Amino acid sequence: DPHGELRRLTPEQVRERFREATWDEALDAAAEGFRRALAATPARGRQSPVAGFGSAKGTNEEAYLFQKLVRTAFGTHNVDHCTRLCHASSVAALMEGLGSAVVTNPLRDVRHADFVLLIGANPAQNHPVGATWIKNAVKKGMKLVLADPRRTELARHSWKHLGFKSGTDVALLNAMLHTIVFEGLTDPAYIEAHTLDFAQLKAHLVDFSPEAMAPVCGIDAATLREVARAYATAKNAMILWGMGISQHTHGTDNARCLIALSLVTGQIGRPGTGLHPLRGQNNVQGASDAGLIPMVLPDYQKVSDPRTREKAERLWQLAPGTLGSEPGLTVVEIIDAAHRQEIRAMLIQGENPAMSDPDAAHAREALAGLSHLVVQDIFLTETASLADVVLPATAWPEKTGSVTNTDRCVQLGRKAVPAPGEARADAWITEQLARRLGLGWAYEVAADGTASADARTGIGAVFEEMRALMPSIAGLSWARLQRDGAVTYPVAHDDDPGQPVVFTDGFPTPSGRASLVGAVLTPPAEQPDAEFPMVLITGRQLEHWHTGSMTRRSGVLDALEPGPVVSLHPETAARLGLGAGDSAQVRSRRGEVSLPVRIDDGMPRNTAFIPFAYAEAAANLLTNPALDPVGKIAELKYCAVDVRPLTAMARDTARH
């Protein structure tokens, strides 16, 4: 109960709604269910009947073992995690353009920047420490441009706020690129030495003048030109972005524009420059690095590359040809396949797709229809409530392991407190399942989350295996990590101090150059119409994180933001006959929720904002599962809705 006391999962729970079980009984039941599913449909690859959702809230070692389990025990690359719902399109564009998906510069580099473009992100709510660094940099003279349909807190600190129309990011960014290219503000020497396809990009941008794009994006041409000139002529300029850029069906195109801005001006490869997609959960970077992605093995090595597969097969002691060459299904694709009963069993570690996935009613039906669902988590989440077997895991302070933050800094966390009851470390749970599924793993991970200095056993052995497969951390040994505590990769050898700024002299592509890719104007998949005349934006709050599975169990945080609200511009609310605190019904083509109104003059007109942390009015019951064709990310930041007062009749209907 999110409004009740802080209850952790302590005994293993096997669904007969629920009964307690011993660890052996629960693990045996979990493994037997997967064996049955695989025996009933012995296909491999994308056609495998089993899939896994790993976690970006655990350690690197846990993420690595999880993806290895799915790939080796279930014979499939059908493994994914929350990056598919936050920065998958950013990753796709960065891999395509730069040959790497990492941030180029640490977030602290804003102190070296003269200009920062912050677009589609609200750090004051989602990255408050980073927001403080940004505010401090502004005080020292840095020019901040906030580009976001909403006027959020950092607008008070910005030189310019570009409140563009939702879903028109490409129009705005291409207008900036047009200005820079056709006003001669590029860095020709950098373009010549370090990029490909500038001529094609220039030809593509001809039709995207600020005058042509101003009516599309809602920002006047003079302002677009002024901001573009300021970015291009700054000594050091940096771009930060969030899910307002990535969670669109054109999210990859949005990121392509940002990459092009950086490359054509040479604003990359130095302190205070570059590209930084602000990560969401605490270990999104590390979980992605560790291979919780269906298209790649650890370190973003493509599953389609035979040399990559052969290297993993040798390290994992698999027969040649064991790992398939076809990428697996992504998060939304897995849920769709489960809904069609093609996926029949799932292992979910520390994720809550019943709340986080778009069109949540569809996702819940898919999860409930599985023949076997196993969930590892620290609380009985909305997803765990649908499971056949629930395995109580440990939280971050209760185990030893590494995480990699948004700056590419690998950090060692040491166990600080004992776990409650019989909760066990996720890595231990994964190893025990692997043994029951015939893999013969012998890491000997400690059940209580402890780890020794000996790299031959336990978590240390897992980390050493990771770095044998991952060039980015090849020079970072378990012994060094224990000694230094935190090291920024890439780390090529034991004496390498780490490299906070990358791409200083080229890119990890076959040519050593970055590719410039033009972006076309593509509208959101679903447009407002007479029945659904408004736009819905979803996001987080400062007080509640992600789906609220942890923060809503904090009495202090829940007291600050005790319930869901829909934020509306005062003119929009007045037009709809709604005032602050009134109950409203918000309806889309997929579902409806009822919740109080919050008046916010920072909102765009005819737009609604709902945080997605509240089970009692889950925003993702409304959102559109339409996918970006490249990044396969859902359009969580844009869908058409109808907002109206909740009448007495509607209240009675909702009550029943």
Side-chain angles (χ1 to χ4, degrees):
D1 178 4
H3 301 290
E5 63 179 286
L6 187 66
R7 292 195 186 96
R8 282 285 295 277
L9 285 172
T10 47
E12 300 76 37
Q13 298 178 348
V14 178
R15 186 167 69 184
E16 287 172 9
R17 240 357 355 131
F18 279 106
R19 71 173 178 83
E20 294 184 10
T22 66
W23 265 109
D24 281 339
E25 184 183 5
L27 290 165
D28 288 346
E32 178 56 30
F34 292 127
R35 278 195 294 269
R36 284 198 305 269
L38 291 165
T41 309
R44 298 176 65 84
R46 290 168 68 94
Q47 287 71 45
S48 172
V50 183
F53 287 170
S55 179
K57 296 191 287 289
T59 67
N60 292 326
E61 296 79 15
E62 289 166 347
Y64 175 83
L65 290 182
F66 188 93
Q67 60 86 33
K68 181 180 177 182
L69 173 74
V70 173
R71 289 182 157 116
T72 55
F74 303 152
T76 181
H77 296 300
N78 292 343
V79 60
D80 210 348
H81 75 299
C82 71
T83 197
R84 192 64 45 201
L85 301 175
C86 60
H87 269 301
S89 52
S90 304
V91 169
L94 288 164
M95 290 294 294
E96 170 192 66
L98 309 184
S100 169
V102 302
V103 300
T104 68
N105 295 60
L107 184 52
R108 276 197 192 90
D109 256 16
V110 293
R111 71 186 187 273
H112 300 304
D114 304 290
F115 181 105
V116 168
L117 172 62
L118 173 64
I119 182 166
N122 185 5
Q125 296 280 311
N126 299 328
H127 304 87
V129 175
T132 299
W133 294 337
I134 293 169
K135 293 173 188 176
N136 290 341
V138 169
K139 289 178 182 177
K140 294 179 180 179
M142 181 267 284
K143 276 186 176 179
L144 174 65
V145 170
L146 174 65
D148 197 300
R150 300 166 65 205
R151 185 177 179 85
T152 57
E153 182 185 331
L154 283 178
R156 296 189 295 111
H157 302 266
S158 65
W159 171 58
K160 300 282 186 184
H161 170 235
L162 306 182
F164 62 94
K165 296 177 185 177
S166 297
T168 64
D169 317 66
V170 169
L172 181 146
L173 296 171
N174 271 353
M176 289 180 61
L177 281 164
H178 176 102
T179 300
I180 292 167
V181 169
F182 291 99
E183 290 189 6
L185 301 175
T186 61
D187 184 336
Y190 188 89
I191 291 170
E192 177 66 25
H194 296 294
T195 72
L196 299 171
D197 304 324
F198 176 71
Q200 290 93 315
L201 178 69
K202 184 175 182 178
H204 171 74
L205 292 170
V206 167
D207 297 328
F208 289 95
S209 69
E211 289 72 22
M213 293 301 101
V216 179
C217 68
I219 305 298
D220 65 273
T223 299
L224 291 170
R225 289 188 182 276
E226 185 181 13
V227 170
R229 292 164 184 159
Y231 173 80
T233 59
K235 180 181 178 182
N236 295 317
M238 195 170 180
I239 299 176
L240 313 176
W241 74 92
M243 286 172 279
I245 280 289
S246 59
Q247 287 180 333
H248 288 278
T249 48
H250 54 272
T252 303
D253 277 332
N254 290 344
R256 284 167 171 158
C257 293
L258 297 175
I259 294 165
L261 277 170
S262 180
L263 293 173
V264 300
T265 55
Q267 297 283 16
I268 192 168
R270 307 186 309 275
T273 68
L275 301 156
H276 191 120
L278 294 159
R279 307 302 187 185
Q281 297 194 30
N282 63 300
N283 201 31
V284 168
Q285 184 67 61
S288 299
D289 297 344
L292 280 182
I293 299 178
M295 303 87 172
V296 295
L297 290 164
D299 239 6
Y300 309 96
Q301 300 173 90
K302 295 181 179 179
V303 299
S304 58
D305 180 1
R307 291 171 299 178
T308 293
R309 297 196 308 275
E310 290 166 9
K311 182 179 179 181
E313 287 166 348
R314 286 195 303 271
L315 185 65
W316 295 347
Q317 299 181 347
L318 303 174
T322 299
L323 297 174
S325 61
E326 184 181 25
L329 301 173
T330 62
V331 163
V332 175
E333 291 172 332
I334 287 170
I335 292 296
D336 287 344
H339 204 270
R340 298 191 299 268
Q341 298 196 341
E342 295 166 6
I343 297 288
R344 300 302 300 133
M346 286 190 66
L347 175 62
I348 298 177
Q349 181 189 88
E351 289 290 296
N352 192 13
M355 281 287 288
S356 62
D357 279 29
D359 192 0
H362 174 82
R364 293 171 186 181
E365 288 174 3
L367 294 168
L370 292 167
S371 63
H372 189 57
L373 173 60
V374 178
V375 174
Q376 300 168 222
D377 217 314
I378 62 174
F379 294 114
L380 192 66
T381 64
E382 291 78 10
T383 300
S385 297
L386 300 171
D388 296 279
V389 181
V390 181
L391 305 171
T394 52
W396 173 243
E398 299 160 2
K399 58 194 170 189
T400 296
S402 67
V403 296
T404 305
N405 72 4
T406 191
D407 290 340
R408 292 180 277 105
C409 183
V410 184
Q411 303 169 301
L412 180 64
R414 294 179 173 88
K415 179 175 177 175
V417 296
E422 297 182 60
R424 299 287 184 265
D426 284 291
W428 179 85
I429 295 171
T430 303
E431 182 171 17
Q432 297 305 309
L433 282 174
R435 291 178 179 181
R436 284 166 170 80
L437 291 166
L439 294 183
W441 289 4
Y443 300 103
E444 302 297 340
V445 172
D448 65 358
T450 57
S452 70
D454 189 350
R456 295 171 297 179
T457 186
I459 290 297
V462 178
F463 186 86
E464 288 295 310
E465 183 177 304
M466 286 171 57
R467 78 182 185 110
L469 194 56
M470 300 171 64
S472 63
I473 58 170
L476 180 55
S477 67
W478 179 245
R480 180 181 175 185
L481 186 59
Q482 289 191 309
R483 181 183 70 245
D484 295 348
V487 181
T488 298
Y489 77 76
V491 188
H493 50 81
D494 193 53
D495 296 325
D496 186 345
Q499 302 173 43
V501 178
V502 293
F503 313 142
T504 56
D505 57 0
F507 298 91
T509 61
S511 66
R513 297 167 180 257
S515 295
L516 292 161
V517 182
V520 298
L521 287 184
T522 305
E526 183 176 87
Q527 294 291 312
D529 57 18
E531 185 178 3
F532 300 98
M534 292 178 59
V535 172
L536 173 67
I537 301 173
T538 67
R540 295 189 178 101
Q541 295 171 301
L542 177 64
E543 295 79 9
H544 290 305
W545 184 68
H546 207 52
T547 66
S549 60
M550 292 184 284
T551 55
R552 294 212 65 206
R553 290 174 165 87
S554 165
V556 172
L557 294 175
D558 211 54
L560 291 171
E561 284 286 0
V565 293
V566 54
S567 296
L568 300 171
H569 188 277
E571 291 182 12
T572 302
R575 177 176 58 79
L576 297 171
L578 288 162
D582 288 350
S583 293
Q585 180 190 68
V586 184
R587 183 173 61 94
S588 77
R589 290 178 173 84
R590 290 154 295 280
E592 61 185 51
V593 297
S594 300
L595 66 179
V597 170
R598 175 172 289 174
I599 303 300
D600 181 355
D601 59 10
M603 286 292 299
R605 291 163 177 79
N606 300 316
T607 302
F609 174 83
I610 301 177
F612 64 89
Y614 297 91
E616 57 268 46
N620 282 326
L621 290 170
L622 309 174
T623 50
N624 190 357
L627 299 180
D628 177 298
V630 182
K632 301 295 182 71
I633 192 170
E635 192 150 58
L636 292 160
K637 282 292 184 285
Y638 194 109
C639 74
V641 295
D642 173 60
V643 181
R644 62 183 59 194
L646 187 64
T647 64
M649 182 179 296
R651 284 196 298 271
D652 290 342
T653 302
R655 190 176 297 121
H656 294 94

